[in-house]
Amino acid sequence: MTKETVLVIGSCGQLGTELVESLREIYGDAQVVASDIKKSDNPVFEGGPFEDLDILDADRLGEILQKYKPTQVYHLAALLSATAEKNPEFGWKLNMEGLFHVLNAARDTGIIKRVYWPSSIAAFGPNTERFNTPQYGAMDPTTIYGISKLAGELYAQYYFNRWGIDTRSLRYPGLIGYKSAPGGGTTDYAVSIYHDALTTEHHTCFLKPGTTLPMLYMPDALKATLDIMHAPAEQIKIRSSYNLAGMSFAPEEIAASITKEIPSFTISYEPDYRQAIADSWPAVIDDTRATEDWGWKPQFDLDAMTKDMLKNLKPQYSAEKAK
Ligand code: AKB
């Protein structure tokens, strides 16, 4: 059996940091190469190889591929929804050219055997069915991030159909975790709210009450990502991207869940430009195909996530206070 070597591109982001940790537990430290434009100071990156990589530099990607010969690539580098709206040209360039570099390298070098690339609920739009959003239906994204995700899904599928590249993808909802900070998403309030709960006990939300969005707790997101990458190829029947769901809630519901643990916690609302983005996205996703094809089943609901987030973040803030 070929020894697997894994390259994670964009490894210092919210998902990448945790994915590198999990992949190193599976494959061993030396077999998982982390890469990003700039190394973060998270200790996880001291445990194994790290390479500086701007994914817009195809030659540099080529050097890394020749050096490590990775059989699997997780390509996570992208501008998220809110950040990409501030610089749409660059958002498009990074999100699309980065993907082309990875897909072309898989096609042209023969080194990479399997590519993971995340899509998002942002690929849907205002004409999508908001509740029980089906796998196939209207897709008319309004953000540059969403447009790049929809185009990327079709490219991934095209490379599979045309050149047999084993592409796999999930449409992530908002991801919530305590080990690393999110960067530039519309769903990020659902992470900062927990930090605020443990510090000021108040959160000012940039979305208004009633804004229900699909969300997923990081342990479930990691499980889904590893499960789809480890499933036999014949079980992956969708090569654009799979709908994926965990839970759905509005800001007042996550606040109520926190209040069960911290009764003095309060929330207020100051919606900004991110409200329009959230309003264009689905509220509840139907992920039946992921369940049927490769056995997807999330474990965390809102209250279980709240308990776990607060339990894991608390020591971090207690240690800071003690300093
Ligand atoms: C964002 O808010 O941009 C991301 C996403 C849903 O893809 N978290």
Side-chain angles (χ1 to χ4, degrees):
M1 206 176 100
T2 331
K3 201 168 176 195
E4 298 282 342
T5 301
V6 185
L7 172 65
V8 182
I9 300 170
S11 67
C12 297
Q14 186 196 15
L15 176 66
T17 306
E18 298 208 27
L19 197 57
V20 167
E21 204 177 15
S22 301
L23 287 166
R24 285 191 172 151
E25 275 163 26
I26 299 170
Y27 294 102
D29 291 347
Q31 296 310 115
V32 178
V33 184
S35 71
D36 211 314
I37 196 153
K38 195 170 167 274
K39 192 175 179 179
S40 88
D41 54 12
N42 194 307
V44 74
F45 298 112
E46 301 310 322
F50 183 93
E51 295 287 339
D52 290 326
L53 172 63
D54 173 356
I55 193 54
L56 293 177
D57 183 347
D59 292 341
R60 176 76 186 123
L61 173 64
E63 279 167 26
I64 295 172
L65 295 181
Q66 291 306 328
K67 181 170 171 188
Y68 295 98
K69 305 261 187 303
T71 47
Q72 299 178 33
V73 171
Y74 289 76
H75 169 40
L76 310 177
L79 282 200
L80 295 188
S81 57
T83 317
E85 283 314 288
K86 293 191 177 146
N87 191 347
E89 282 88 3
F90 183 67
W92 177 259
K93 186 176 165 71
L94 179 69
N95 294 3
M96 296 312 299
E97 276 181 31
L99 178 61
F100 294 153
H101 289 166
V102 173
L103 292 176
N104 289 342
R107 180 193 60 195
D108 299 340
T109 65
I111 295 172
I112 306 166
K113 304 291 175 233
R114 194 170 293 175
V115 175
Y116 180 79
W117 170 84
S119 185
S120 158
I121 53 162
F124 296 111
N127 287 298
T128 299
E129 275 178 57
R130 284 198 67 228
F131 290 88
N132 290 329
T133 304
Q135 175 68 39
Y136 297 107
M139 297 188 81
D140 55 346
T142 55
T143 61
I144 203 68
Y145 172 67
I147 297 170
S148 73
K149 287 299 177 190
L150 181 53
E153 287 188 7
L154 297 173
Y155 267 102
Q157 180 177 257
Y158 180 77
Y159 274 66
F160 172 75
N161 288 334
R162 175 99 200 253
W163 289 294
I165 307 301
D166 187 354
T167 50
R168 303 179 181 206
S169 177
L170 298 169
R171 290 176 180 151
Y172 288 130
L175 300 184
I176 299 161
Y178 58 86
K179 291 191 185 169
S180 52
T186 303
T187 56
D188 291 5
Y189 90 85
V191 178
S192 15
I193 196 167
Y194 288 112
H195 291 264
D196 289 347
L198 289 166
T199 50
T200 58
E201 295 189 355
H202 180 79
H203 178 71
T204 307
C205 189
F206 58 70
L207 299 180
K208 60 185 186 196
T211 313
T212 301
L213 288 171
M215 303 276 184
L216 188 63
Y217 193 34
M218 193 58 88
D220 277 334
L222 290 169
K223 187 179 167 333
T225 309
L226 295 168
D227 282 358
I228 193 176
M229 276 298 267
H230 293 155
E234 59 278 10
Q235 279 177 238
I236 310 301
K237 304 210 172 85
I238 294 172
R239 293 294 179 160
S240 51
S241 193
Y242 275 91
N243 274 10
L244 187 74
M247 60 190 96
S248 281
F249 56 78
E252 69 277 18
E253 290 168 310
I254 187 173
S257 175
I258 294 173
T259 311
K260 288 183 199 162
E261 308 296 320
I262 305 175
S264 47
F265 176 73
T266 53
I267 184 166
S268 58
Y269 302 92
E270 281 177 24
D272 65 15
Y273 70 101
R274 288 168 282 196
Q275 184 65 47
I277 300 179
D279 287 344
S280 75
W281 289 352
V284 181
I285 300 283
D286 174 0
D287 61 359
T288 315
R289 288 299 305 269
T291 307
E292 286 171 358
D293 290 359
W294 44 272
W296 163 241
K297 193 173 180 296
Q299 272 163 4
F300 285 85
D301 63 13
L302 176 55
D303 285 340
M305 173 176 75
T306 295
K307 281 198 173 73
D308 204 59
M309 279 293 283
L310 294 174
K311 184 181 93 194
N312 284 289
L313 283 174
K314 213 177 260 168
Q316 191 179 309
Y317 286 110
S318 315
E320 268 169 30
K321 254 191 213 155
K323 273 184 200 163

